[in-house]
Amino acid sequence: MDDLKKLPIKSKLMTVGQFREDGILNLNYYCGMKRAPNKAKTSKRPAVQKSPDNPLKREGTVGNATGSISNSVNQEVNMKRGPGFIPSDAVLKPYVSKRKRKLPKSGGGFHTDNEGETGRTGETIVGSKIFTLNPTVASCIRRKAAACKLPRQRSQSYHLHTKAVTSLGWNNPQYSHLLLTSSLDSTVRVWDCFSGKRCVRTIDCHQKGVKAAVWTSDGESILGGGFGKTVKLTDAQYNKTFQEFDHSSFITCLGLCPSDPQLFLAGTDGSAVYCWDMRIGEIVHEYTRKGQLGQILALEFIPGRDEFLMSCDFVCRNSDDRNIMVVDMRTTAILSSQIYHEKYTCPALRAHPDGSIFVAQSNANYAAIFSTQAPYRLNRRKRFEGHQVEGFQIGCDISPDGSVFASGSSNGTLYFYNFHSSDVIKTIPAYESASTNIRFHPVLGNMAASCSWDGQVTVWT
């Protein structure tokens, strides 16, 4: 025992891991128990004899049972490898939140036990993990935002939508490998544009065509609505709808409040915009005006302020009233309703990343530039023209660095403009039908996604 005390700590741990005379491993010492082994209780056990067939294998009888100590040897080896060692037969289960644990585990299209498997149609089985940080996206998030580079080629093309695609949008930067699209074929789809390059979710809870769909602030749920007159909040991981918001008219556009992620705006065909609180499931504000506003075409929040822009299809002769309006979200006051002095509707609105100006897509076949400060003046020296808008609800977008403006066109071509000079710097003949929308990737400067009236979704790099 004196020689044992002279050894270093590591040698002591290797030495005390010995078998007692009865052939049973003293695991109490390994588990950190300071109490010394009680030899008086174990001395009554029968001695262990070596097997004549295999001298390395020891067999013994305890009562009427005969067993081998090979399992004890394996436990000793695992113990010696350190406290952080994980045996090869161990099963690790991922953490599941309380809300996810309340969802049903089987039935109704749920397959939570088959994570990572793929169905026959190429679509990932519901319940597989899709919210992971892609290595390519992660490296770009850590670095400084790169300058926008125009896409050069068609990277991916999807044809699962059978009718016109009405909206599309990338997820939050940490999950920006996922692309969301809605269509008039009553479906909302989620596409993995990096690893799987396929549709990973098909949300078919809507009974009629879907006009708009957006990601929630956490990037794991989807708000969608359309001709079914109901906005549905769906968990994208498990394809489970857990909240519905009914309206008296069909939904035309949606917008998530940046200052309070639990509030969202729903534009309708009934001349009104409603502000819903997802925590209580009730309307907290209603934005309307005496007289008809017509259909609400677009909604856009002004960055850094609790004010939003909305455009209507109410256009009367010799009047520019109620075409584009600025509304205070908290007080419901209309700050301005005489901004665009043309007799054309504006199907899309986009705010510049710096929050100083916004762009309105006009059915006069150009995009106008306005200031976000009162009195919201029109820039008469510069506008983006060359693409065709009339006849379709054509969307547009501004690159994350604010240097490029992009727009779809009713002739199927994608147009890219220099934002500072308003010159056309590139055109891409993309579709035979109208290109209805385009969105820049929030992290990668050379990637964009577009969609068409015939149901195609394309990723450009």
Side-chain angles (χ1 to χ4, degrees):
M1 194 65 181
D2 296 336
D3 297 337
L4 178 61
K5 293 181 180 179
K6 296 179 182 180
L7 295 176
I9 297 176
K10 183 176 180 181
S11 299
K12 290 181 181 179
L13 294 177
M14 298 295 291
T15 305
V16 297
Q18 298 176 353
F19 292 101
R20 295 203 301 260
E21 295 179 356
D22 56 0
I24 299 177
L25 183 65
N26 185 6
L27 296 178
N28 293 334
Y29 197 94
Y30 270 92
C31 295
M33 299 181 65
K34 297 182 179 180
R35 182 174 59 85
N38 190 353
K39 296 183 178 180
K41 295 182 179 180
T42 59
S43 60
K44 297 181 180 180
R45 295 180 179 272
V48 179
Q49 299 178 357
K50 294 183 180 180
S51 173
D53 299 334
N54 187 359
L56 297 179
K57 186 177 180 182
R58 300 182 179 184
E59 296 181 354
T61 58
V62 181
N64 297 327
T66 301
S68 172
I69 64 169
S70 59
N71 293 335
S72 300
V73 176
N74 292 335
Q75 292 179 3
E76 181 191 17
V77 173
N78 294 339
M79 292 284 183
K80 292 181 179 179
R81 292 184 179 180
F85 174 73
I86 300 176
S88 59
D89 57 347
V91 179
L92 299 179
K93 296 183 179 181
Y95 171 76
V96 181
S97 63
K98 292 182 179 179
R99 183 171 64 86
K100 298 293 179 62
R101 287 197 293 266
K102 294 180 181 180
L103 297 176
K105 294 184 179 180
S106 62
F110 292 85
H111 304 275
T112 57
D113 295 332
N114 299 328
E115 294 193 3
E117 298 183 4
T118 305
R120 297 180 180 178
T121 60
E123 181 177 330
T124 303
I125 296 176
V126 176
S128 61
K129 191 174 182 180
I130 62 175
F131 294 106
T132 57
L133 185 59
N134 186 273
T136 304
V137 176
S139 61
C140 294
I141 292 177
R142 288 191 295 266
R143 295 197 305 264
K144 185 178 179 180
C148 178
K149 297 180 181 180
L150 298 180
R152 295 177 296 178
Q153 60 184 358
R154 188 192 305 262
S155 174
Q156 304 156 41
S157 185
Y158 308 109
H159 304 270
L160 292 183
H161 284 299
T162 58
K163 293 183 180 180
V165 180
T166 54
S167 68
L168 80 163
W170 296 99
N171 205 334
N172 297 339
Q174 66 270 23
Y175 301 139
S176 56
H177 62 287
L178 300 176
L179 178 67
L180 176 68
T181 60
S182 64
S183 173
L184 294 180
D185 62 2
S186 305
T187 62
V188 175
R189 294 182 180 270
V190 179
W191 313 85
D192 186 346
C193 300
F194 282 76
S195 57
K197 296 183 179 181
R198 63 179 182 272
C199 177
V200 293
R201 288 293 180 275
T202 300
I203 300 173
D204 53 1
C205 60
H206 300 274
Q207 304 299 324
K208 297 183 179 180
V210 183
K211 287 278 291 181
V214 294
W215 293 100
T216 55
S217 59
D218 60 358
E220 298 184 0
S221 300
I222 299 171
L223 282 168
F227 293 99
K229 300 181 181 181
T230 302
V231 177
K232 297 185 179 183
L233 181 61
T234 306
D235 186 288
Q237 179 68 43
Y238 295 94
N239 199 354
K240 175 67 176 179
T241 300
F242 52 88
Q243 204 165 2
E244 296 184 354
F245 310 92
D246 296 325
H247 296 75
S248 58
S249 55
F250 66 80
I251 311 300
T252 57
C253 51
L254 295 171
L256 200 66
C257 178
S259 60
D260 189 349
Q262 298 299 324
L263 301 179
F264 74 91
L265 301 178
T268 66
D269 187 49
S271 302
V273 177
Y274 300 96
C275 180
W276 288 85
D277 192 332
M278 290 184 281
R279 292 163 291 201
I280 59 178
E282 296 180 357
I283 297 175
V284 293
H285 298 296
E286 181 178 352
Y287 312 95
T288 185
R289 186 174 178 176
K290 293 181 179 180
Q292 292 295 322
L293 294 178
Q295 177 178 322
I296 308 298
L297 299 178
L299 295 169
E300 180 73 6
F301 277 91
I302 299 177
R305 291 150 60 182
D306 287 335
E307 301 173 3
F308 67 91
L309 305 160
M310 69 175 182
S311 63
C312 313
D313 68 351
F314 180 82
V315 177
C316 59
R317 191 164 188 166
N318 298 326
S319 175
D320 55 6
D321 190 24
R322 292 168 285 181
N323 197 340
I324 299 177
M325 296 188 292
V326 182
V327 184
D328 188 297
M329 191 191 70
R330 301 295 179 182
T331 64
T332 71
I334 297 178
L335 304 180
S336 180
S337 61
Q338 298 184 359
I339 299 177
Y340 186 45
H341 302 274
E342 297 288 343
K343 310 307 180 291
Y344 298 96
T345 58
C346 299
L349 301 170
R350 293 298 290 177
H352 195 273
D354 63 9
S356 61
I357 54 179
F358 72 91
V359 178
Q361 186 86 280
S362 173
N363 272 315
N365 294 331
Y366 66 85
I369 303 174
F370 298 87
S371 172
T372 56
Q373 302 295 330
Y376 313 100
R377 296 184 182 277
L378 169 69
N379 189 338
R380 300 185 180 276
R381 299 180 180 179
K382 182 172 62 175
R383 65 183 183 184
F384 307 104
E385 54 185 348
H387 57 282
Q388 300 178 12
V389 184
E390 56 184 356
F392 296 89
Q393 191 166 353
I394 304 297
C396 58
D397 196 19
I398 303 174
S399 62
D401 63 353
S403 62
V404 179
F405 173 79
S407 174
S409 179
S410 58
N411 59 7
T413 304
L414 301 176
Y415 287 79
F416 298 88
Y417 299 84
N418 186 308
F419 198 91
H420 302 290
S421 64
S422 70
D423 296 331
V424 178
I425 54 179
K426 189 169 186 175
T427 59
I428 300 178
Y431 310 104
E432 296 181 357
S433 60
S435 54
T436 54
N437 211 338
I438 184 171
R439 284 291 182 267
F440 286 101
H441 193 275
V443 177
L444 303 179
N446 64 335
M447 179 176 284
S450 63
C451 56
S452 69
W453 186 255
D454 58 4
Q456 296 185 48
V457 179
T458 308
V459 178
W460 307 88
T461 56

